[in-house]
Amino acid sequence: MRLRQRIIDFLFAPEPDAWLTLLRLGLGLQIIFYALSFRHDWNIVFAAEGSPFVSRDLTEAIGKIDNPLGPQIGWFIVLGSHLGLSEQMTLSILWLLLLGAGGALVLGFFCRSSAVIAWLLHLCAAQSGDFFAYGVDNLMTIGLFYLAIAPLPDRYALDAKLWRLKRIDPARLGFHRRVLQLHLCLIYFFSGLTKCLGAGWWNGASIWRALTRPPFDIIPIEVLASWKILFPVVGIAVCLFETAYPVFIWPRTTRLVWLAAILAMHMAIGLSMGLFLFASIMFVLNVAPFGPRSAIVARQHTPAEFWPTATAASLF
Amino acid sequence: MLFHFALIVGISAQQTFWIVAQGYTSLPHSIDPFSRKAADALTIALGQNLGLSNPARQSLTGYLHSAGIEGGYGFFAPNVPSSYKLVFELHYPDGHVEYDLPHVSGTATGLRLVSLLDRIGRTQYEPLREVMLIMLAYSAWQEHAGAATVRAVFGYVDVPSLSELKEGKKESYNFLYAYDFTFPSSSNAPPR
């Protein structure tokens, strides 16, 4: 019974909505950057014919085999054709809607609808472009899914000023934050664990390969060669920071250090490999649930609290 | 919530066991059979062995994709793979040959092209690989419509290791597959 109560206390710890503001703002900006990064290629990439990639029809047909219920860009193309809109016109409208949803999220205007539209359109793009999707799409879907079901709007949203909505239950806000925190812990744990299983991450070979692999070879190979002594250290540090994230991100004494280390890692990935969208989504997903406020303000509930005291003491 | 997190843990664990079972890790191969059994057990537990038309599987897959939890999180793990490269050889009726690469206008979209090449490289089903390449080749041919045939040469880039770099080894391109495509010059439609 005590354990059950502790779990409930942990999951529903009351929380102000500052984290939700950060998540909404961060994902809104992320959607804007995502849409802008696609601005020249959106219409041709998602065209049924004439795409420089693989045709959307083929990607969607293969996607439907495994996930027949998954939303696709093709749904909107069919809808648009019933309304007399050409494929290109419908694609342009979808792009503008996505950009608009990102802007609305930043402002906090029609938060819930904007979050759902952003999630749905991004999901459609990820499903219809599955052949050329990468990690950033997966992580954006995760963030937008949690935002779409979060207790919006937060107090800093335009909605809260315009419609004078009643305050959200802090326990509900705390629960949604916990879910995102726990999910992030699982992401880093499994990412770190899988890296630990490869010899290349212990001797620095994987760092070398990641930085010299086209098109991520932004830094000249001669410059990288002069840093060779750092690679094993960096490789082991990545394994350590990721695998131990679920342990060290919770105690108040280590949270800020671990968060700073993880953010530094993502910044380095963004700058040295050109993966800016990936770096920015990881910033948002880390800073919103584990951000500076929660690192500084003493937390009352950590996972250690529902473990036996001796175990918790030995861990922390 | 329990169900949601059970799915996240189940899928991540299943993919980790699968990686071990494939022998991609530095763990002893004696544990490969155990990992295979564990991955298979999780595949069954996650309903991924049910028929594709099974409504339970379809609903679950739909949920997994909607929440972004359909795959594991082993980015660049356990090892960083080689990158693939696609080169088009455009053969003209007068005998001269030009070379081209697939290209897009934005840098961010260029990263997606890399994902597509990785996907082609991982595709074991040969007809699907050919269809994907014919679409890319057709796109290249449209920019060089005078070409009689397009040869799509697919390979991977071998980047030298640190010690190989010291010995003077340079980046090399290794051949995997080549396909010849002929497009009808009188038609704008891609060949089926």
Side-chain angles (χ1 to χ4, degrees), chain A residues 40-41 49 52-53 62 119 127 130-132 137-138 146 183 191 195 197 201 208-209 212-214 228 273, chain B residues 4 25-26 65-66 68 73 75-76 78 80-83 105-106 109 112-113 116 119 128 136 160 166 192:
Chain A
H40 296 303
D41 298 311
E49 282 183 10
F53 288 153
I62 290 172
W119 165 76
Q127 301 285 305
D130 183 48
F131 283 162
F132 44 88
D137 294 296
N138 191 234
Y146 288 130
H183 194 157
S191 176
K195 285 185 178 79
L197 299 176
W201 287 95
W208 169 261
R209 281 182 68 84
T212 54
R213 180 188 195 261
K228 63 182 179 188
M273 297 171 73
Chain B
H4 182 75
T25 70
S26 51
H65 282 262
S66 303
Y73 304 105
F75 307 118
F76 277 178
V80 180
S82 295
S83 56
S105 45
T109 321
R112 297 184 177 277
L113 186 60
L116 175 62
R119 187 67 172 260
L128 175 61
L136 291 165
K166 274 186 208 157
R192 301 285 175 186

Side-chain angles (χ1 to χ4, degrees), chain A residues 195-219:
Chain A
K195 285 185 178 79
C196 288
L197 299 176
W201 287 95
W202 296 99
N203 59 24
S206 288
I207 297 288
W208 169 261
R209 281 182 68 84
L211 293 172
T212 54
R213 180 188 195 261
F216 308 124
D217 51 345
I218 291 175
I219 302 171

Side-chain angles (χ1 to χ4, degrees), chain B residues 47-100:
Chain B
Q48 300 301 301
N49 63 330
L50 297 172
L52 286 169
S53 58
N54 186 298
R57 178 176 173 169
Q58 289 183 353
S59 306
L60 186 64
T61 306
Y63 178 74
L64 294 174
H65 282 262
S66 303
I69 55 175
E70 74 277 15
Y73 304 105
F75 307 118
F76 277 178
N79 302 300
V80 180
S82 295
S83 56
Y84 294 98
K85 189 172 181 179
L86 177 62
V87 178
F88 299 116
E89 276 181 21
L90 301 134
H91 295 260
Y92 286 82
D94 63 2
H96 88 277
V97 180
E98 287 180 11
Y99 295 90
D100 200 1

Side-chain angles (χ1 to χ4, degrees), chain B residues 80-153:
Chain B
V80 180
S82 295
S83 56
Y84 294 98
K85 189 172 181 179
L86 177 62
V87 178
F88 299 116
E89 276 181 21
L90 301 134
H91 295 260
Y92 286 82
D94 63 2
H96 88 277
V97 180
E98 287 180 11
Y99 295 90
D100 200 1
L101 299 169
H103 42 79
V104 287
S105 45
T107 313
T109 321
L111 292 174
R112 297 184 177 277
L113 186 60
V114 176
S115 295
L116 175 62
L117 296 181
D118 285 348
R119 187 67 172 260
I120 294 171
R122 287 198 309 268
T123 300
Q124 299 295 315
Y125 185 56
E126 208 267 338
L128 175 61
R129 188 168 59 221
E130 187 174 349
V131 169
M132 289 200 272
L133 286 172
I134 202 172
M135 287 179 168
L136 291 165
Y138 179 70
S139 174
W141 176 79
Q142 282 184 309
E143 291 178 20
H144 305 268
T149 59
V150 180
R151 172 172 291 171
V153 185

